Amino acid sequence: MPRTIMLVPVGFGVGLTSVSMGLVHAVERHGIKVNFFKPVAQPVSGDVGPERSSTIIGRNPNIEPPKPLLPGYVDNMMSSGKADTLLEEIVEQANRATLDNDILIIEGLVPTRKQQYTSRLNNMIAKALDAEVVFVTSPGNDSATQQKERIEIACQPFGGTDAERILGCIVNKINAPIDDNGVLRQDLAGNNGSSSQQQMEVFQLFGRSPIRVLGYIPWNEQIIAPRVIDIANHLQAKVINEGEITSRRLRSITFCARSIPNMVENFSANKLLVASGDRSDVIVSACLAAMNGTKIGALLLTNGYEPEQPVLDLCQQAMATGLPILLVETNTWQTSIDLQSFNHEVPNDDVDRINKVDEFVASHIDKHWISSLAHASSRERRLSPAAFRYQLTEMARRAAKTVVLPEGEEPRTIKAAAICAQRNIANCVLLGNPETIALIATQQGVELGAGVTIINPEDVRQQYIDPMVKMREHKGLTEVVAQEQLEDNVVLGSMMLAQDEVDGLVSGAIHTTANTIRPPLQLVKTAPEASLVSSVFFMLLPDQVLVYGDCAINPDPNAEQLAEIAIQSADSAIAFGISPKVAMISYSTGTSGTGSDVEKVREATEIAQKRRPDLIIDGPLQYDAAIMKNVAASKAPNSPVAGQANVFIFPDLNTGNTTYKAVQRSADLISIGPMLQGMRKPVNDLSRGALVDDIVYTIALTAIQGKQAQHHEH
C-alpha cells in the first residue's frame, strides 16, 4: 500500500514549497516512485496563474499532481458545515495520485489570517488520508528551546509527540536574515551569526526529544536570489535596456543617495542599484563599472525620470555588456517599501533556480530516512471516515445497482435519492404518489431526473398478489391477506426485491426496525450459507472506522449464533476495505472472570476461531482492553487483537444497542447502519433520526451488497 506523507508547516514563511520540492526530489532520486498533491491552493500576494507548488513539481515528467481545490470553494465548504464532503473530494484526488506510486507527498496549508481553519483542516486531511506527518519549521528569532516547544505544541492535535503517525520535523532557513519582528530581510544578509552554531544547538536539543529531525536546511543566498525580470514584474517597471534581464540574479540592494566617491565600493556584482532617474552621475558611474567588467545586477531608476538621450548614448557600451536598466514611476522611498514586499517564492518558470533548490534541499534531508521510505511503514494502516465514505461511493458507482425506497414520499428520502442519482451512486426507485413526490421535491429545491424512478404503488400492487401467495402459501397466505399486506410499501418493495426487479431495499426513516425487516425476512429469505440475520454499524470515529455488531437484530444469541455474527461482521469489514481484528466483547478479559455470560463469549470465540482460522479473533475482551493499547498491555499482553480491535462483537442486543448509541451520541459521530448481514438480497434499515447523508451512504452500502450478492449467486 502506498505511503502518504504530509508536510505540515509550523507557522508562516517556513519555506514549505522549497521543502516540498526538495523532498520529492530526494525521494525520486532514491528510485522510489513518488507523486505530489497540494489539496488546497494558497496563492500568495502577486501570484497569478496556477498553484505554485503543483506547477513547479509538475514540471517533472514523472509526476502528475492533481489539481488543487480553489481557496474560495474551500472557504465556502468549511463555513457551510460541509467539511465531510470536502474531505471526500480530497481523498478521491489523493487516491488517484497514489496509483502506480509508492509514496504520495501532501503539502499542507500555511496558516493565514484569511483562513482561520488551516490548522484544523491540516489535521482533518492528515486523518482522512491516514497520512504520516512531517512538520516544517524555521528558527526565525526563536531559540532552539523555543523551536522545540513550538513543534511539540504543533504535535498535540496529531496525537502528541509519541504518536506513531508523526515521523519528525524538517528545520528550514537556518540562519536566514531575520529582523526583530521575525520578517525575512534580504538587506540583513550576513548579519545573523553562524549557521553551523544555530544548527548545532537545534541538533543537540532535539537529540533528547522524541521528535526526530529529518533535515537541517541552512539559508543559502545562492538559491534565493531572484532574477532581474522577477523584480521588474513585481514593480511593474518599464524596461529601458533589457540586457540579461532573464539570467542575472540579485543578491543585495543599494540605494544610491550619496556622492559617487562614497558609493563606488557598492558597485559590485549581483547588486541592484536604486537611484533617482535624474542622477546622471550614478547612471554613468554604474555604466563605467559595467564596462570595466563588474556584473552589476541591474540599475533601477525611480521618480519616473527617464535618462536623457546624451546620457543613454554614453551608456551604449555598458548596455551591450548586458546591464539591465529599469524605470519606475514611484519615488525612492516608496520603491524601497515595494521592494520589501517582494515575494521570494520560487517562480514557476525559473528552471535554473528550481533545479538548484531541488538539489540543495534534497542534499540536506536525512538520507537514511529517505532510504527507509522505500520500505512499507510498520504503522498499522487505518481507514479514515472520509476514505471510507469515498470508497463506499466509488464501489457503489462500479456496482451500478437499483435500490427501492418504500418511503418514497419522505422528504429526506427524496433528497437522498436525488443525490444518489446525481453522484451515480445508485438508481433509486421511489414508491409513492408521483404528484406528492414532485411537490415535496419542488419545495426542497430538489430535481428528480434520470436515475430516479417514481412508481405509484396503486398502479402495481395487483401484479404482486399471485407471486406473493405462491411464496407464502405454505403459511396459509390468501389473496385477500396478500392484497392487504401489499398496502404496506415495505412489503411491496420486498416483493420487487424477491422478484429480482431491484437489487436492494432501504427503509426505516419512518418505519420501525421490525416493520422494515420482517417483510424481507418472510419474502426475500436468508442467504443459503447463513444460519441467521445479523447487523453491523460502521462507526466513523475521527481517525478510523469501527464495526459494531450485532446492535439491531438478535436479542440474546447463543454461542453458535454469536460466532456466526462475528464471522459475518468480519466478512463485512473485509468487503468494505477494513482489515478485521475482531474483539469478542464481555465484562471480563481472558480468564479473569467467570459466569455464564463470559463463558458464552469464550465458547463463541473458540467456535469462530475454528470455523475461520484465517480471521484474527480474540475474546473475551473488555471494551477498554480491546481498543486501548495501554490497557491491553496489562490486561491482555499476548492478545493479537487487544489494543487494536476494529470489529467489536457484543454479547447481546442490550449491550450492543446501548453501546453504539452511547458512543455515537456522546462523541457526536456519524454511524452508518444498521447494515443487515445474512440476507439473500440486501435490505437495510435506517434510524428514524437519519440525516440525508446517512440515507445516501446506506443506499451506497446496499448497492455494494447487491453486487456481492450477485457474485455469490454465480
Side-chain angles (χ1 to χ4, degrees):
M1 183 178 282
R3 294 180 72 172
T4 303
I5 296 171
M6 183 168 177
L7 297 175
V8 177
V10 182
F12 183 77
V14 298
L16 188 61
T17 298
S18 299
V19 173
S20 296
M21 293 161 59
L23 181 56
V24 168
H25 186 64
V27 170
E28 190 182 39
R29 69 185 187 182
H30 269 75
I32 305 168
K33 294 181 73 176
V34 62
N35 205 352
F36 173 82
F37 180 31
K38 172 87 173 177
V40 180
Q42 285 188 295
V44 295
S45 180
D47 264 4
V48 291
E51 193 277 321
R52 189 184 295 265
S53 299
S54 303
T55 304
I56 291 172
I57 295 172
R59 294 178 69 90
N60 185 324
N62 300 319
I63 295 174
E64 296 182 22
K67 192 175 178 181
L69 298 170
L70 296 174
Y73 173 74
V74 175
D75 291 347
N76 182 53
M77 295 295 278
M78 293 297 289
S79 62
S80 57
K82 295 180 179 175
D84 288 346
T85 305
L86 178 68
L87 290 174
E88 283 180 57
E89 291 182 39
I90 291 170
V91 168
E92 181 177 5
Q93 293 274 57
N95 278 5
R96 289 176 184 167
T98 54
L99 293 173
D100 302 321
N101 290 294
D102 301 317
I103 289 178
L104 176 64
I105 292 173
I106 305 288
E107 184 177 297
L109 283 83
V110 177
T112 67
R113 289 178 182 173
K114 289 184 179 179
Q115 296 168 308
Q116 299 291 326
Y117 54 75
T118 51
S119 296
R120 183 162 66 95
L121 188 54
N122 278 338
N123 189 18
M124 291 163 71
I125 291 171
K127 287 180 176 178
L129 300 178
D130 194 29
E132 296 168 286
V133 174
V134 174
F135 293 104
V136 181
T137 185
S138 62
N141 292 327
D142 291 346
S143 66
T145 302
Q146 288 170 323
Q147 280 183 72
K148 179 174 172 288
E149 288 171 350
R150 277 203 301 138
I151 293 176
E152 287 175 351
I153 292 168
C155 289
Q156 295 312 308
F158 297 88
T161 55
D162 295 320
E164 287 184 37
R165 72 165 63 245
I166 295 175
L167 298 178
C169 70
I170 293 173
V171 185
N172 191 23
K173 297 186 180 180
I174 294 176
N175 204 45
I178 302 291
D179 67 13
D180 293 339
N181 297 315
V183 177
L184 180 67
R185 291 275 302 276
Q186 290 287 84
D187 56 316
L188 297 179
N191 296 345
N192 270 47
S194 169
S195 169
S196 59
Q197 178 62 34
Q198 199 173 32
Q199 179 172 327
M200 184 58 66
E201 287 175 5
V202 173
F203 182 78
Q204 288 174 345
L205 191 67
F206 277 91
R208 302 187 298 272
S209 170
I211 304 164
R212 180 181 174 189
V213 179
L214 305 170
Y216 299 93
I217 305 167
W219 176 258
N220 185 339
E221 289 181 3
Q222 304 297 316
I223 65 168
I224 215 71
R227 302 165 300 181
V228 178
I229 186 73
D230 301 324
I231 294 289
N233 290 337
H234 171 68
L235 298 174
Q236 297 180 329
K238 178 182 177 181
V239 180
I240 293 174
N241 186 56
E242 189 169 299
E244 296 172 353
I245 194 170
T246 58
S247 58
R248 288 201 183 186
R249 297 192 178 273
L250 305 171
R251 296 205 173 96
S252 60
I253 304 170
T254 290
F255 291 87
C256 303
R258 292 167 286 173
S259 63
I260 296 300
N262 293 322
M263 287 191 304
V264 169
E265 63 182 15
N266 291 303
F267 289 13
S268 55
N270 304 116
K271 181 91 69 171
L272 176 66
L273 302 179
V274 185
S276 178
D278 59 357
R279 288 286 304 270
S280 299
D281 56 336
V282 173
I283 298 169
V284 172
S285 300
C287 288
L288 280 170
M291 288 165 64
N292 284 322
T294 303
K295 269 202 167 185
I296 294 170
L299 184 59
L300 174 62
L301 307 177
T302 63
N303 292 302
Y305 297 136
E306 192 163 342
E308 295 176 356
Q309 193 58 45
V311 175
L312 290 176
D313 291 342
L314 276 174
C315 297
Q316 285 302 315
Q317 282 185 280
M319 292 182 189
T321 66
L323 175 66
I325 302 177
L326 312 174
L327 177 68
V328 292
E329 295 296 323
T330 51
N331 61 36
T332 304
W333 169 252
Q334 184 59 51
T335 304
S336 71
I337 293 172
D338 292 342
L339 284 167
Q340 286 182 45
S341 67
F342 175 72
N343 175 16
H344 289 278
E345 297 276 345
V346 183
N348 297 345
D349 62 345
D350 193 346
V351 178
D352 180 56
R353 188 172 162 195
I354 288 169
N355 292 337
K356 285 178 178 174
V357 170
D358 282 347
E359 285 294 334
F360 182 77
V361 175
S363 67
H364 287 84
I365 295 175
D366 188 330
K367 294 179 178 62
H368 299 292
W369 174 62
I370 296 292
S371 298
S372 73
L373 295 178
H375 310 293
S377 172
S378 59
R379 186 173 67 93
E380 183 78 23
R381 299 283 293 176
R382 292 182 169 186
L383 187 68
S384 71
F388 180 71
R389 290 193 300 269
Y390 164 71
Q391 191 168 279
L392 278 187
T393 54
E394 279 299 294
M395 291 171 73
R397 283 176 189 138
R398 290 196 294 271
K401 296 298 176 184
T402 300
V403 177
V404 64
L405 306 171
E407 300 162 330
E409 296 177 7
E410 207 284 323
R412 291 167 295 167
T413 302
I414 293 169
K415 197 165 186 177
I419 292 170
C420 286
Q422 187 185 353
R423 295 171 64 183
N424 294 319
I425 290 171
N427 294 311
C428 293
V429 177
L430 294 171
L431 298 184
N433 185 294
E435 291 179 6
T436 305
I437 293 171
L439 179 64
I440 294 169
T442 304
Q443 288 171 344
Q444 295 194 103
V446 171
E447 203 170 306
L448 298 176
V452 179
T453 304
I454 300 170
I455 294 178
N456 191 341
E458 302 292 337
D459 298 340
V460 299
R461 278 197 189 101
Q462 293 297 321
Q463 69 191 56
Y464 294 102
I465 293 173
D466 286 345
M468 187 170 168
V469 170
K470 284 180 184 175
M471 289 171 68
R472 301 283 295 166
E473 59 186 355
H474 64 289
K475 294 287 186 179
L477 185 70
T478 64
E479 285 188 16
V480 174
V481 175
Q483 186 166 2
E484 187 180 306
Q485 289 183 1
L486 283 164
E487 293 290 324
D488 182 347
N489 283 355
V490 178
V491 176
L492 179 60
S494 299
M495 278 302 301
M496 294 170 73
L497 186 59
Q499 296 282 90
D500 296 332
E501 295 171 11
V502 294
D503 303 296
L505 181 148
V506 173
S507 183
I510 54 179
H511 288 82
T512 64
T513 297
N515 288 342
T516 295
I517 293 172
R518 192 184 301 109
L521 282 173
Q522 293 173 345
L523 301 169
V524 180
K525 306 286 194 305
T526 58
E529 71 280 3
S531 62
L532 54 72
V533 173
S534 65
S535 72
V536 289
F537 279 90
F538 294 94
M539 306 296 291
L540 275 55
L541 272 64
D543 58 349
Q544 66 172 326
V545 178
L546 303 180
V547 179
Y548 282 7
D550 175 8
C551 306
I553 305 294
N554 299 283
D556 190 18
N558 59 34
E560 282 279 348
Q561 291 170 325
L562 199 58
E564 175 85 0
I565 292 168
I567 292 167
Q568 287 181 346
S569 302
D571 284 340
S572 291
I574 293 168
F576 292 96
I578 299 168
S579 181
K581 291 189 175 179
V582 184
M584 308 294 284
I585 300 299
S586 175
Y587 61 76
S588 169
T589 295
T591 56
S592 65
T594 57
S596 59
D597 290 338
V598 180
E599 289 305 318
K600 180 179 80 171
V601 174
R602 187 174 288 117
E603 188 184 343
T605 304
E606 291 171 1
I607 294 169
Q609 289 169 339
K610 285 177 186 173
R611 201 178 294 174
R612 288 290 298 276
D614 57 308
L615 297 174
I616 303 172
I617 303 173
D618 196 18
L621 289 170
Q622 290 162 287
Y623 193 96
D624 57 350
I627 200 164
M628 303 291 293
K629 284 191 174 181
N630 57 341
V631 178
S634 60
K635 288 190 174 182
N638 301 316
S639 170
V641 171
Q644 50 190 328
N646 53 14
V647 179
F648 296 78
I649 306 303
F650 298 102
D652 52 56
L653 184 58
N654 186 33
T655 307
N657 193 273
T658 303
T659 304
Y660 111 77
K661 284 182 176 171
V663 172
Q664 182 193 7
R665 300 304 179 190
S666 300
D668 194 24
L669 304 177
I670 293 172
S671 70
I672 300 175
M675 185 186 86
L676 299 194
Q677 309 169 135
M679 295 289 294
R680 186 174 64 85
K681 287 183 171 269
V683 174
N684 284 311
D685 181 34
L686 297 166
S687 163
R688 274 167 285 175
L691 303 174
V692 172
D693 280 353
D694 298 335
I695 302 173
V696 169
Y697 292 121
T698 303
I699 291 170
L701 281 176
T702 308
I704 298 163
Q705 283 183 296
K707 180 76 173 179
Q708 292 163 353
Q710 186 185 25
H711 178 74
H712 289 314
E713 284 179 3
H714 296 301

